[in-house]
Amino acid sequence: MRSGVLEGKLIRTICAVTLILIGTNTALASTNEIVMTEEVIKLFERSDDIQSLLPFSAQNLIYADVDRYPLLSWGGEWVAQAGSKPSGELDSDIQETHYFANEVKLGLNLGVNQYIGSYIDLVWQRTFYAEKASDVGSLAIESAYVNFSTQQQDLQLRIGRQYYEDSRGFVFHDSLDGLHADASVNWYTWQWQLRLAVAKHEWISNNLLTKQLSNGDDYQFLQASTSMGSHNGAVYLLNRYQQSRPNTVQREHVLHTGLRGHGVLDAVAIREQPFTYWYELIYASGTTWQDNSSRRIKGVGFDLGLLIPVDHLLSVVANILPTTWFTAGEDNRFITAYARGSGDKGGASTDTRFRQSGLQLNTGWLGEGGAKLKYYGEIVKPELSNINISTLGVRFRPSAQSSIELLWHDYQQDVPSASFFGSGLKALPNGIHSDLGQAWDLVLSYRHIDNLVVELDFAWFQPGNAFPADKQDIYMIYSELRYFF
C-alpha cells in the first residue's frame, strides 16, 4: 500500500538542497566543495540502495552518511474511524453504540552500522462513545527491539518486543516480548526463510498507562517458508502455554502444527486469468488442566479459499448495458471459502475443540486487489473454534485502486454448545441447535490517493435457531480513513 516514490523524492530533494548550499560556498572553499559534491552524488546514486534498508513502517529517511550508516528513518500512520457498533446481545432493548476513534502510530528506526540497529513503534489510541459521553485511551509500545545481523543480512537476531502480523492475521496479529530470529538458508535448489521466536505475550502490559506486569502466555514459534514459482508455502510449530487466568485455575498447553500457503493456479484459468487460492491446515495437540483433572487436546482446524475470475461474465454484461463501469481486465473475482474449527465432543479424557493461536485477529486480505477486512464477519468476529464458516462473495474492481466486496457468511457450530468463542456476540447459544445464523458484509475501498485508504463498511447479522426466536437482527456501519506518513 505504501509507495517508495515519495520517500525517493525526499532523498533527491535533500541532495538537491545540499548541492545548492555547497554551491553558495564556492568562494570560501572550492576544494572542499568538490569533495562534498562528489560525496553527495554518491549518496544520490545509492538512494535506492538506502531505501531498501529502511523498514516498511519507517520509510522516511532522516539521515544517512555516504557509507549508509548511521541510518535514521521514521514513519507512521493515522487512522480515524466513526460509526455504530452493536452490543452483540441480539436484544432490541439494548442500544447500539456510536463512536469516534483515533489511532496514531509512530515508528523510529536507527541503524548504527550494518550489524546493529534498533526500532521502536508507539501506538496511541482514543475512542469517544456518544451514548456514554466518555472516552477510553491507551498508549502502547507495539515494537521495541535491538537488531543484530550479519553482513549479508541472511541472519537477524532481535531482542525485545516485536510485532507480528501475517497477511491474513490468522496466526499472528500481536506483539511478543523475547528473542526473535530470522535466517535465509539455501537447501538444494530451494531457498528457505526460517523464523524463530521464544517469547511471552504482554510481559509488560500493552497499555503503558496501566504500568503493570502481565501474566501473559508463553510462546515458542518455528517456521520454515519457501516459494516455488507462483506458489508460497510454510510449515510451522507454535507452542503455547496459557497461564491460569484470574478467577480460574484452568491452564492449557497447546502445540499447533500448521501448514499454510497461497498462490496462483496457473494451470486453471478462464481466458488467461488464473484462479488464486489460500489454505490453512492446523492440528492442535496438548493438555488442558481444570481443577484437579486434565484432558488431552486433539483439535483440527482448516481454512480453504478460492478466487475465481469473472471478468468474462462482466464483459458480457458491459456489452448489454449502456455502461463501461465493469470492464474486463480489472481482476474482478468470485470468492468462495470454507473454514472449520472442530468442537469438543465431551469425552472424559479428550478435548477435541480446536483453538487458534491466541494472537490472531482474523483480519486480512482475501487474495490481492481488495480491502483488508474481517474475513469471518464484521459483526460476529468468531474465533475458528467449534464452528463451521461458509463464505461466498464477489469482488468488483471499478479501477485498479478501488474495490467493492460483498460477502455472505453462514455459521454452524461443529458441536451444539452453550458457549461461543469470539468477540462479536455476547448472547449465548442454547446448546441445542447448531445454526448460529448468517451475515452479510459490504466493504467499499478507495485507494487512489498516495498513502491514503478510505473505506466504508456495512454489516448485517441474522441469528439462527441456536438463539431464542425473539432475538433481533443486528446491524453495523462505519467509515475509516487511514493515512500513512
Side-chain angles (χ1 to χ4, degrees), residues 265-275 307-313 331-334:
L265 295 174
D266 296 308
V268 183
I270 298 178
R271 295 191 179 180
E272 298 183 353
Q273 283 190 292
F275 288 35
L307 279 72
I308 304 170
V310 294
D311 286 347
H312 63 293
L313 296 177
D331 197 26
N332 304 286
R333 296 275 171 167
F334 176 74

Side-chain angles (χ1 to χ4, degrees), residues 305-432:
L306 187 66
L307 279 72
I308 304 170
V310 294
D311 286 347
H312 63 293
L313 296 177
L314 296 181
S315 64
V316 174
V317 175
N319 291 331
I320 297 175
L321 299 177
T323 178
T324 58
W325 196 71
F326 296 124
T327 59
E330 291 293 349
D331 197 26
N332 304 286
R333 296 275 171 167
F334 176 74
I335 301 168
T336 177
Y338 182 73
R340 175 180 182 263
S342 60
D344 184 10
K345 298 179 181 179
S349 60
T350 304
D351 182 351
T352 55
R353 182 174 68 86
F354 176 75
R355 296 105 158 114
Q356 284 190 259
S357 66
L359 302 171
Q360 80 284 342
L361 191 62
N362 295 332
T363 298
W365 293 270
L366 299 178
E368 297 181 355
K372 185 177 182 180
L373 47 79
K374 297 179 179 63
Y375 48 80
Y376 289 155
E378 291 283 346
I379 291 180
V380 179
K381 293 181 285 189
E383 178 185 353
L384 191 61
S385 183
N386 190 32
I387 197 168
N388 299 279
I389 307 172
S390 302
T391 298
L392 296 175
V394 289
R395 174 191 297 148
F396 298 122
R397 301 282 302 280
S399 66
Q401 299 299 325
S402 64
S403 60
I404 301 173
E405 289 170 279
L406 177 64
L407 301 176
W408 169 82
H409 309 282
D410 178 74
Y411 306 101
Q412 302 287 329
Q413 285 188 317
D414 191 53
V415 177
S417 170
S419 298
F420 171 75
F421 300 94
S423 59
L425 299 181
K426 300 299 185 290
L428 296 179
N430 54 33
I432 301 173

